[in-house]
Amino acid sequence: MTSKFFNRSKAAAQSTRSKILPRLSKKQLGNLVPRRGNKVAPVIAAALLKAAGWRTVGEIPNIPQAVVLALPHTSNVDGVYAIPGLFALDLKISIMGKHTLFKVPVLAQLLNWIGVVPIDRSNKGSVLQASIDRFKTGEPLFLGLSPEGTREYTKNWKTGFYYLAVGAGVPILPVALDYKTKEIRFMSLVYPTGNIEADLPKIYAQYQGVLPRHPERLSQPLKDVNNLAG
């Protein structure tokens, strides 16, 4: 069926899909990649994703740690497709959450299962260091961040994700949600050199041609790479 959240037909989306990136499935994930380890959820999620006309493409390198970029993020509806896409792969991408939420045992168990990482946001400097320290434990961790920091238009990205990757010594994995092709696209790793001015354009370039749900809300760096008016 066609998703009620998006008026493009399946046929139209399929005609514009990537001819380069291969379709990605749960079976293709390597043994080092963080997994949820649930047998039922991937089956249900894959069925939901297929019913909505979406699919996952690209490649997830067999590595245990990475900073994962979720872009572009212009609507709450993005999660309707992104979450089933991740569950269908049995891929565990963690996100940051307030540490106070973990004080309730039952809620803490749920948040841990979802992949929420407890962070004390009262001190911005400590958030970066705490995230670096979590990577330094050596435990498998794909930490998902949205450098746009908002679902509305923004002139610049927040650069904390970059300095986190540099400090932790982990690569950056760009992921795109493309409404034109109805694809959740896992793209090429970027290994930060410490020269942010040289590295950011490598990330921006991978989002060329990606269409968000609300193009007018696209962040300026992605408008620039797509030659769109600000």
Side-chain angles (χ1 to χ4, degrees), residues 22-45:
R23 190 158 189 165
L24 182 60
S25 70
K26 172 185 172 183
K27 295 179 181 179
Q28 294 167 292
L29 268 62
N31 63 311
L32 298 180
V33 176
R35 307 289 286 268
R36 293 187 172 277
N38 189 292
K39 295 182 179 181
V40 178
V43 176
I44 297 174

PDB file of all heavy atoms in Angstrom, residues 22-45:
ATOM      1  N   PRO A  22      23.672  -1.177  -3.607  1.00  0.00           N
ATOM      2  CA  PRO A  22      22.931  -2.443  -3.541  1.00  0.00           C
ATOM      3  C   PRO A  22      21.909  -2.435  -2.416  1.00  0.00           C
ATOM      4  O   PRO A  22      22.031  -1.690  -1.445  1.00  0.00           O
ATOM      5  CB  PRO A  22      24.034  -3.462  -3.261  1.00  0.00           C
ATOM      6  CG  PRO A  22      25.059  -2.683  -2.485  1.00  0.00           C
ATOM      7  CD  PRO A  22      25.043  -1.306  -3.093  1.00  0.00           C
ATOM      8  N   ARG A  23      20.918  -3.269  -2.546  1.00  0.00           N
ATOM      9  CA  ARG A  23      19.932  -3.416  -1.488  1.00  0.00           C
ATOM     10  C   ARG A  23      20.613  -4.030  -0.267  1.00  0.00           C
ATOM     11  O   ARG A  23      21.477  -4.900  -0.393  1.00  0.00           O
ATOM     12  CB  ARG A  23      18.788  -4.308  -1.957  1.00  0.00           C
ATOM     13  CG  ARG A  23      17.609  -4.313  -0.988  1.00  0.00           C
ATOM     14  CD  ARG A  23      16.349  -4.732  -1.694  1.00  0.00           C
ATOM     15  NE  ARG A  23      15.180  -4.531  -0.837  1.00  0.00           N
ATOM     16  CZ  ARG A  23      13.934  -4.528  -1.266  1.00  0.00           C
ATOM     17  NH1 ARG A  23      13.696  -4.698  -2.558  1.00  0.00           N
ATOM     18  NH2 ARG A  23      12.929  -4.340  -0.444  1.00  0.00           N
ATOM     19  N   LEU A  24      20.220  -3.567   0.910  1.00  0.00           N
ATOM     20  CA  LEU A  24      20.870  -3.985   2.148  1.00  0.00           C
ATOM     21  C   LEU A  24      19.893  -4.802   2.988  1.00  0.00           C
ATOM     22  O   LEU A  24      18.741  -4.415   3.172  1.00  0.00           O
ATOM     23  CB  LEU A  24      21.326  -2.756   2.938  1.00  0.00           C
ATOM     24  CG  LEU A  24      22.085  -2.968   4.249  1.00  0.00           C
ATOM     25  CD1 LEU A  24      23.369  -3.734   4.010  1.00  0.00           C
ATOM     26  CD2 LEU A  24      22.389  -1.606   4.884  1.00  0.00           C
ATOM     27  N   SER A  25      20.358  -5.937   3.489  1.00  0.00           N
ATOM     28  CA  SER A  25      19.507  -6.786   4.312  1.00  0.00           C
ATOM     29  C   SER A  25      20.230  -7.180   5.595  1.00  0.00           C
ATOM     30  O   SER A  25      21.443  -7.015   5.727  1.00  0.00           O
ATOM     31  CB  SER A  25      19.104  -8.049   3.547  1.00  0.00           C
ATOM     32  OG  SER A  25      20.222  -8.905   3.375  1.00  0.00           O
ATOM     33  N   LYS A  26      19.469  -7.736   6.507  1.00  0.00           N
ATOM     34  CA  LYS A  26      19.991  -8.186   7.800  1.00  0.00           C
ATOM     35  C   LYS A  26      21.128  -9.194   7.629  1.00  0.00           C
ATOM     36  O   LYS A  26      22.111  -9.170   8.376  1.00  0.00           O
ATOM     37  CB  LYS A  26      18.836  -8.797   8.595  1.00  0.00           C
ATOM     38  CG  LYS A  26      19.222  -9.484   9.874  1.00  0.00           C
ATOM     39  CD  LYS A  26      18.004 -10.158  10.490  1.00  0.00           C
ATOM     40  CE  LYS A  26      18.386 -11.031  11.675  1.00  0.00           C
ATOM     41  NZ  LYS A  26      17.215 -11.745  12.233  1.00  0.00           N
ATOM     42  N   LYS A  27      21.015 -10.067   6.637  1.00  0.00           N
ATOM     43  CA  LYS A  27      22.010 -11.125   6.424  1.00  0.00           C
ATOM     44  C   LYS A  27      23.391 -10.567   6.068  1.00  0.00           C
ATOM     45  O   LYS A  27      24.398 -11.263   6.215  1.00  0.00           O
ATOM     46  CB  LYS A  27      21.541 -12.069   5.329  1.00  0.00           C
ATOM     47  CG  LYS A  27      20.283 -12.844   5.686  1.00  0.00           C
ATOM     48  CD  LYS A  27      19.867 -13.745   4.550  1.00  0.00           C
ATOM     49  CE  LYS A  27      18.595 -14.520   4.885  1.00  0.00           C
ATOM     50  NZ  LYS A  27      18.177 -15.386   3.753  1.00  0.00           N
ATOM     51  N   GLN A  28      23.438  -9.324   5.574  1.00  0.00           N
ATOM     52  CA  GLN A  28      24.694  -8.755   5.108  1.00  0.00           C
ATOM     53  C   GLN A  28      25.508  -8.081   6.213  1.00  0.00           C
ATOM     54  O   GLN A  28      26.647  -7.684   5.974  1.00  0.00           O
ATOM     55  CB  GLN A  28      24.425  -7.754   3.985  1.00  0.00           C
ATOM     56  CG  GLN A  28      23.859  -8.402   2.732  1.00  0.00           C
ATOM     57  CD  GLN A  28      23.306  -7.383   1.768  1.00  0.00           C
ATOM     58  OE1 GLN A  28      22.300  -6.729   2.014  1.00  0.00           O
ATOM     59  NE2 GLN A  28      23.990  -7.222   0.639  1.00  0.00           N
ATOM     60  N   LEU A  29      24.936  -7.935   7.394  1.00  0.00           N
ATOM     61  CA  LEU A  29      25.656  -7.300   8.480  1.00  0.00           C
ATOM     62  C   LEU A  29      26.719  -8.227   9.046  1.00  0.00           C
ATOM     63  O   LEU A  29      26.458  -9.406   9.290  1.00  0.00           O
ATOM     64  CB  LEU A  29      24.694  -6.874   9.594  1.00  0.00           C
ATOM     65  CG  LEU A  29      24.160  -5.433   9.495  1.00  0.00           C
ATOM     66  CD1 LEU A  29      23.358  -5.242   8.223  1.00  0.00           C
ATOM     67  CD2 LEU A  29      23.332  -5.086  10.722  1.00  0.00           C
ATOM     68  N   GLY A  30      27.927  -7.678   9.256  1.00  0.00           N
ATOM     69  CA  GLY A  30      29.031  -8.467   9.777  1.00  0.00           C
ATOM     70  C   GLY A  30      28.915  -8.732  11.267  1.00  0.00           C
ATOM     71  O   GLY A  30      28.071  -8.160  11.970  1.00  0.00           O
ATOM     72  N   ASN A  31      29.789  -9.572  11.769  1.00  0.00           N
ATOM     73  CA  ASN A  31      29.722  -9.995  13.167  1.00  0.00           C
ATOM     74  C   ASN A  31      30.145  -8.919  14.157  1.00  0.00           C
ATOM     75  O   ASN A  31      29.876  -9.033  15.355  1.00  0.00           O
ATOM     76  CB  ASN A  31      30.598 -11.240  13.373  1.00  0.00           C
ATOM     77  CG  ASN A  31      32.068 -10.955  13.103  1.00  0.00           C
ATOM     78  OD1 ASN A  31      32.431 -10.373  12.069  1.00  0.00           O
ATOM     79  ND2 ASN A  31      32.944 -11.358  14.003  1.00  0.00           N
ATOM     80  N   LEU A  32      30.803  -7.847  13.681  1.00  0.00           N
ATOM     81  CA  LEU A  32      31.262  -6.798  14.586  1.00  0.00           C
ATOM     82  C   LEU A  32      30.244  -5.674  14.759  1.00  0.00           C
ATOM     83  O   LEU A  32      30.313  -4.901  15.718  1.00  0.00           O
ATOM     84  CB  LEU A  32      32.584  -6.203  14.066  1.00  0.00           C
ATOM     85  CG  LEU A  32      33.773  -7.159  13.960  1.00  0.00           C
ATOM     86  CD1 LEU A  32      34.998  -6.414  13.420  1.00  0.00           C
ATOM     87  CD2 LEU A  32      34.085  -7.792  15.310  1.00  0.00           C
ATOM     88  N   VAL A  33      29.317  -5.584  13.841  1.00  0.00           N
ATOM     89  CA  VAL A  33      28.323  -4.512  13.859  1.00  0.00           C
ATOM     90  C   VAL A  33      27.366  -4.692  15.036  1.00  0.00           C
ATOM     91  O   VAL A  33      26.894  -5.809  15.289  1.00  0.00           O
ATOM     92  CB  VAL A  33      27.527  -4.492  12.540  1.00  0.00           C
ATOM     93  CG1 VAL A  33      26.416  -3.455  12.585  1.00  0.00           C
ATOM     94  CG2 VAL A  33      28.466  -4.222  11.363  1.00  0.00           C
ATOM     95  N   PRO A  34      27.056  -3.624  15.797  1.00  0.00           N
ATOM     96  CA  PRO A  34      26.113  -3.729  16.921  1.00  0.00           C
ATOM     97  C   PRO A  34      24.748  -4.239  16.456  1.00  0.00           C
ATOM     98  O   PRO A  34      24.159  -3.686  15.529  1.00  0.00           O
ATOM     99  CB  PRO A  34      26.011  -2.291  17.444  1.00  0.00           C
ATOM    100  CG  PRO A  34      27.274  -1.632  16.992  1.00  0.00           C
ATOM    101  CD  PRO A  34      27.602  -2.260  15.673  1.00  0.00           C
ATOM    102  N   ARG A  35      24.264  -5.283  17.106  1.00  0.00           N
ATOM    103  CA  ARG A  35      22.980  -5.885  16.739  1.00  0.00           C
ATOM    104  C   ARG A  35      22.024  -5.849  17.920  1.00  0.00           C
ATOM    105  O   ARG A  35      22.437  -5.838  19.079  1.00  0.00           O
ATOM    106  CB  ARG A  35      23.187  -7.346  16.311  1.00  0.00           C
ATOM    107  CG  ARG A  35      24.228  -7.555  15.221  1.00  0.00           C
ATOM    108  CD  ARG A  35      23.757  -7.059  13.878  1.00  0.00           C
ATOM    109  NE  ARG A  35      22.767  -7.949  13.301  1.00  0.00           N
ATOM    110  CZ  ARG A  35      23.066  -8.962  12.467  1.00  0.00           C
ATOM    111  NH1 ARG A  35      24.324  -9.183  12.120  1.00  0.00           N
ATOM    112  NH2 ARG A  35      22.120  -9.723  11.968  1.00  0.00           N
ATOM    113  N   ARG A  36      20.739  -5.909  17.632  1.00  0.00           N
ATOM    114  CA  ARG A  36      19.734  -5.965  18.687  1.00  0.00           C
ATOM    115  C   ARG A  36      19.539  -7.388  19.177  1.00  0.00           C
ATOM    116  O   ARG A  36      19.185  -7.625  20.319  1.00  0.00           O
ATOM    117  CB  ARG A  36      18.407  -5.396  18.176  1.00  0.00           C
ATOM    118  CG  ARG A  36      18.480  -3.907  17.898  1.00  0.00           C
ATOM    119  CD  ARG A  36      17.125  -3.320  17.570  1.00  0.00           C
ATOM    120  NE  ARG A  36      17.237  -1.878  17.493  1.00  0.00           N
ATOM    121  CZ  ARG A  36      17.194  -1.077  18.537  1.00  0.00           C
ATOM    122  NH1 ARG A  36      17.030  -1.587  19.746  1.00  0.00           N
ATOM    123  NH2 ARG A  36      17.314   0.224  18.394  1.00  0.00           N
ATOM    124  N   GLY A  37      19.704  -8.349  18.291  1.00  0.00           N
ATOM    125  CA  GLY A  37      19.577  -9.741  18.680  1.00  0.00           C
ATOM    126  C   GLY A  37      18.157 -10.200  18.878  1.00  0.00           C
ATOM    127  O   GLY A  37      17.898 -11.162  19.604  1.00  0.00           O
ATOM    128  N   ASN A  38      17.211  -9.522  18.220  1.00  0.00           N
ATOM    129  CA  ASN A  38      15.803  -9.905  18.334  1.00  0.00           C
ATOM    130  C   ASN A  38      15.377 -10.610  17.046  1.00  0.00           C
ATOM    131  O   ASN A  38      15.641 -10.137  15.948  1.00  0.00           O
ATOM    132  CB  ASN A  38      14.942  -8.663  18.570  1.00  0.00           C
ATOM    133  CG  ASN A  38      13.509  -9.011  18.902  1.00  0.00           C
ATOM    134  OD1 ASN A  38      12.781  -9.514  18.062  1.00  0.00           O
ATOM    135  ND2 ASN A  38      13.100  -8.727  20.139  1.00  0.00           N
ATOM    136  N   LYS A  39      14.719 -11.746  17.167  1.00  0.00           N
ATOM    137  CA  LYS A  39      14.342 -12.524  15.988  1.00  0.00           C
ATOM    138  C   LYS A  39      12.989 -12.112  15.403  1.00  0.00           C
ATOM    139  O   LYS A  39      12.758 -12.250  14.200  1.00  0.00           O
ATOM    140  CB  LYS A  39      14.320 -14.010  16.341  1.00  0.00           C
ATOM    141  CG  LYS A  39      15.689 -14.579  16.704  1.00  0.00           C
ATOM    142  CD  LYS A  39      15.597 -16.065  16.993  1.00  0.00           C
ATOM    143  CE  LYS A  39      16.979 -16.638  17.339  1.00  0.00           C
ATOM    144  NZ  LYS A  39      16.920 -18.095  17.612  1.00  0.00           N
ATOM    145  N   VAL A  40      12.106 -11.605  16.251  1.00  0.00           N
ATOM    146  CA  VAL A  40      10.753 -11.284  15.794  1.00  0.00           C
ATOM    147  C   VAL A  40      10.669  -9.879  15.191  1.00  0.00           C
ATOM    148  O   VAL A  40      10.064  -9.685  14.125  1.00  0.00           O
ATOM    149  CB  VAL A  40       9.740 -11.404  16.954  1.00  0.00           C
ATOM    150  CG1 VAL A  40       8.345 -11.011  16.485  1.00  0.00           C
ATOM    151  CG2 VAL A  40       9.735 -12.823  17.504  1.00  0.00           C
ATOM    152  N   ALA A  41      11.271  -8.901  15.861  1.00  0.00           N
ATOM    153  CA  ALA A  41      11.173  -7.508  15.423  1.00  0.00           C
ATOM    154  C   ALA A  41      11.617  -7.292  13.978  1.00  0.00           C
ATOM    155  O   ALA A  41      10.949  -6.562  13.234  1.00  0.00           O
ATOM    156  CB  ALA A  41      11.970  -6.607  16.365  1.00  0.00           C
ATOM    157  N   PRO A  42      12.726  -7.890  13.508  1.00  0.00           N
ATOM    158  CA  PRO A  42      13.139  -7.670  12.117  1.00  0.00           C
ATOM    159  C   PRO A  42      12.105  -8.134  11.099  1.00  0.00           C
ATOM    160  O   PRO A  42      11.934  -7.507  10.046  1.00  0.00           O
ATOM    161  CB  PRO A  42      14.428  -8.487  12.004  1.00  0.00           C
ATOM    162  CG  PRO A  42      14.966  -8.531  13.389  1.00  0.00           C
ATOM    163  CD  PRO A  42      13.754  -8.644  14.248  1.00  0.00           C
ATOM    164  N   VAL A  43      11.425  -9.227  11.388  1.00  0.00           N
ATOM    165  CA  VAL A  43      10.412  -9.762  10.466  1.00  0.00           C
ATOM    166  C   VAL A  43       9.240  -8.784  10.344  1.00  0.00           C
ATOM    167  O   VAL A  43       8.779  -8.459   9.247  1.00  0.00           O
ATOM    168  CB  VAL A  43       9.908 -11.138  10.939  1.00  0.00           C
ATOM    169  CG1 VAL A  43       8.795 -11.643  10.023  1.00  0.00           C
ATOM    170  CG2 VAL A  43      11.062 -12.134  10.979  1.00  0.00           C
ATOM    171  N   ILE A  44       8.757  -8.309  11.492  1.00  0.00           N
ATOM    172  CA  ILE A  44       7.628  -7.373  11.506  1.00  0.00           C
ATOM    173  C   ILE A  44       8.035  -6.051  10.854  1.00  0.00           C
ATOM    174  O   ILE A  44       7.302  -5.493  10.027  1.00  0.00           O
ATOM    175  CB  ILE A  44       7.149  -7.131  12.941  1.00  0.00           C
ATOM    176  CG1 ILE A  44       6.628  -8.427  13.556  1.00  0.00           C
ATOM    177  CG2 ILE A  44       6.068  -6.052  12.980  1.00  0.00           C
ATOM    178  CD1 ILE A  44       6.271  -8.329  15.032  1.00  0.00           C
ATOM    179  N   ALA A  45       9.214  -5.547  11.217  1.00  0.00           N
ATOM    180  CA  ALA A  45       9.679  -4.267  10.692  1.00  0.00           C
ATOM    181  C   ALA A  45       9.880  -4.326   9.183  1.00  0.00           C
ATOM    182  O   ALA A  45       9.542  -3.384   8.463  1.00  0.00           O
ATOM    183  CB  ALA A  45      10.971  -3.856  11.380  1.00  0.00           C
TER     184      ALA A  45
END
